[in-house]
Amino acid sequence: MVKNYWESETASQVTKGVEELVYRSNLIGSDRAVCNWGGGNTSMKTTEKDFRGRDIEVMWVKGSGSDLATMKAHNFTGLNLEDIRPLFERDEMTDEDMVAYLSHCMIDSKHPRASIETLLHAFLPFKHVDHTHPDAIISLCCADNGKQLAEEIFGNRFVWVPYVRPGFTLSKMIAEGVRNNPNAELVLMEKHGLVTWGETSEESYAKTIEIINEAEQYINDRVNEETAFGGQKYETLSDEEATSILAKVMPIIRGAVSEEKKMLLTYDRGEDVLQFVNSYAAPELSQIGAACPDHLVHTKMVPLYINWDPQTKDVDTLIASVKEGIASFKEGYKAYFDRNKNEGDKMFEPAPRVILIPGLGMVNTGKDVNNSRVSGALYHRAIAVMKGSTTLGNFVSLSENESYNVEYWPLELYKLTLAPAEAEFSRKVAFITGGAGGIGSATARRLVSEGAHVVLADLNLEGAEKVAAEINEQYGANRALAVKMDVTSEEQVQAAFDQTALTYGGADIIVNNAGLATSSPFDETSLKEWNLNMNVLGTGYFLVAREAFKQMKGQGIGGNMVFIASKNSVYAGKNAAAYSSVKALETHLARCIAAEGGEFGIRVNSVLPDAVLQGSAIWGSNWREERAAAYGIHPDQLEDHYRKRTTLLVNIYPSDIAESIAFFASSKSEKTTGCMLTVDGGVPAAFTR
């Protein structure tokens, strides 16, 4: 049962007017069983002063593209009701005319465009109106016998409105239905949702919760968990088994869904998801269609169901089924588009947004992690609706043409224009070793600033977590992930890439940056010191690059690696035989991988810094004292020493290296591989030849 979260004391402290509406809207949106992400709308009618100081009746309504759970006062639009009411006398009105007309009714041109369903609120004669998409109500509205069942639940207190796409016609039908039923307390919108109202904000909210719970109680009394969705055909794999398989499969999925545009992936093993995907009914039931227009925009009309027996644990068969299934889904989507397209329509990416796999759960896709999670959150709601509808009768959905007309509806497409423009690294995942250090953290921030998601792999987990937290605070949740990883451990490297696959679906950019440095005269260089350099800077770079190469090949959508080598790769440093030798190894390893990676679209390049002292863990170690001793100067003189030996008389900072990495990782260098770029201020001895 949904809960009533209204707190009288909190509400009493809220400023009357729009802030009152904000409070109610946030409560409604906070429970996704009441109103799904981005869906629903709320309104209130007040008296305001216009620009001439006259009292006018104003309706405040949700602005297009907002989410009730998080929206604030500036997300609402104020409209002059005196200008809107004459529209009720019209017989019809196109969407284009409606939008244009409402733009002239706004009391402030700086307000966002009003909700698609503004007239629904305006035509109802109530001070407060709520339109929601509750699971229980949509279950009723998507049951083939829903109207009859509604009579059992609500008697004569409801108005039933057949499915019509939101706009003028639907708004007028609702208003006329309410006018013609003096007992009306609610409106049930077939295949869509609920409308309730009240004279106060609290009354409207309470009525919404009350009505939902009446429907939910009716359904709960009839649900049999044992027989839900026809009962369980498959058993759920353990978390350990499932994540092991998903880590192998998700890069394959990512590659297959990213042919048109790169996608990021998330997975979900919620109890409701597993109950559904493991059921006898899921293969057919999942293909009937979307439960609600607001679901469809983010989930497409149907998900992809993978016909796989999890008890076999046969990963190869699963991978083959995934590839075949996604290819078939795309062909089906293209045919759906061609059957229903209108002049000027441009097809979205045809890949599925929701992929259902028995035993494992649900995989979701999106242009970023948050959008992927939205598609998952909405499919949770779809599962709840299908469960309720099939308990009550048979699940019915929007028809194919109705679905298409919502998915490619100009008013819905407008919401997409409100999203920030995509940047150079949008839809890409960067895996950065040494992510807690100066170069690593600067690179992460540089790539994230242009849209990337980043994995910060570091032996210093606390430091990596701190950087990740700062990035997520500045750029939004889920943009950065910290993982503990020792580059010399094959198992830890593999585990880190598995975690990357499970979190984002795979990786596109690898920055091989983890490092250390030691200094000693050659004849005093111990085997321990030699092996330490070789293990971290040689074997470590090899292990990371090899695992990345495997994952990129599996994805089949290319990728690139950037090795952070050193000026010492081409110019031997005094008293640094071990370090200089292995840095030369790195650059040649990079060229070897570049030679093999070309046919897979994998580019590999190297950046050769020198003396990046700022924020460096290496230069905070004994290396500083050792290098100073090699040059016969005090450690405090190093920075000046390095600056003076450059032809440009400059110091090199982490941000300089980050900029070079960004270049190699970007489309600006898409025809460059096997290259070395020195970023050392110009040390003549290190000029590449």
Side-chain angles (χ1 to χ4, degrees), residues 512-527:
N512 234 335
N513 167 68
L516 56 76
T518 63
S519 177
S520 61
F522 177 67
D523 59 343
E524 296 177 14
T525 302
S526 66
L527 181 60

Side-chain angles (χ1 to χ4, degrees), residues 360-418:
L360 297 182
M362 170 172 66
V363 176
N364 300 103
T365 74
K367 67 178 183 179
D368 54 38
V369 165
N370 288 338
N371 272 274
S372 177
R373 290 186 173 181
V374 165
S375 74
L378 288 170
Y379 206 75
H380 274 279
R381 309 274 59 85
I383 291 170
V385 168
M386 289 186 287
K387 188 175 186 176
S389 290
T390 53
T391 295
L392 300 174
N394 295 308
F395 173 67
V396 293
S397 171
L398 304 180
S399 69
E400 178 179 289
N401 190 251
E402 288 170 342
S403 297
Y404 180 89
N405 288 333
V406 170
E407 191 175 358
Y408 286 88
W409 186 19
L411 295 191
E412 197 62 58
L413 297 181
Y414 167 76
K415 294 181 183 179
L416 300 179
T417 68
L418 303 178

Side-chain angles (χ1 to χ4, degrees), residues 331-352:
E331 288 303 311
Y333 188 88
K334 290 172 183 174
Y336 153 82
F337 177 84
D338 288 337
R339 286 192 299 270
N340 295 281
K341 65 182 178 183
N342 304 305
E343 187 177 351
D345 287 352
K346 294 183 180 178
M347 190 177 72
F348 300 143
E349 67 280 353

Side-chain angles (χ1 to χ4, degrees), residues 261-283:
K261 291 183 178 179
K262 279 191 171 68
M263 294 290 183
L264 271 69
L265 273 54
T266 54
Y267 75 93
D268 192 312
R269 283 174 49 80
E271 288 185 14
D272 57 331
V273 171
L274 290 166
Q275 182 186 42
F276 182 62
V277 300
N278 291 339
S279 71
Y280 283 96

Side-chain angles (χ1 to χ4, degrees), residues 515-553:
L516 56 76
T518 63
S519 177
S520 61
F522 177 67
D523 59 343
E524 296 177 14
T525 302
S526 66
L527 181 60
K528 181 180 180 182
E529 181 184 344
W530 177 267
N531 285 338
L532 177 63
N533 280 268
M534 291 296 161
N535 286 341
V536 174
L537 303 177
T539 303
Y541 275 47
F542 158 74
L543 289 173
V544 170
R546 187 187 63 176
E547 208 60 35
F549 198 91
K550 291 178 184 176
Q551 195 170 93
M552 289 176 174
K553 276 183 66 178

Side-chain angles (χ1 to χ4, degrees), residues 423-428 446-453 479:
E424 174 68 49
F425 301 114
S426 293
R427 302 174 179 265
K428 292 184 178 178
R446 174 66 180 84
L447 299 181
V448 169
S449 73
E450 287 199 63
H453 291 64
R479 292 292 296 278

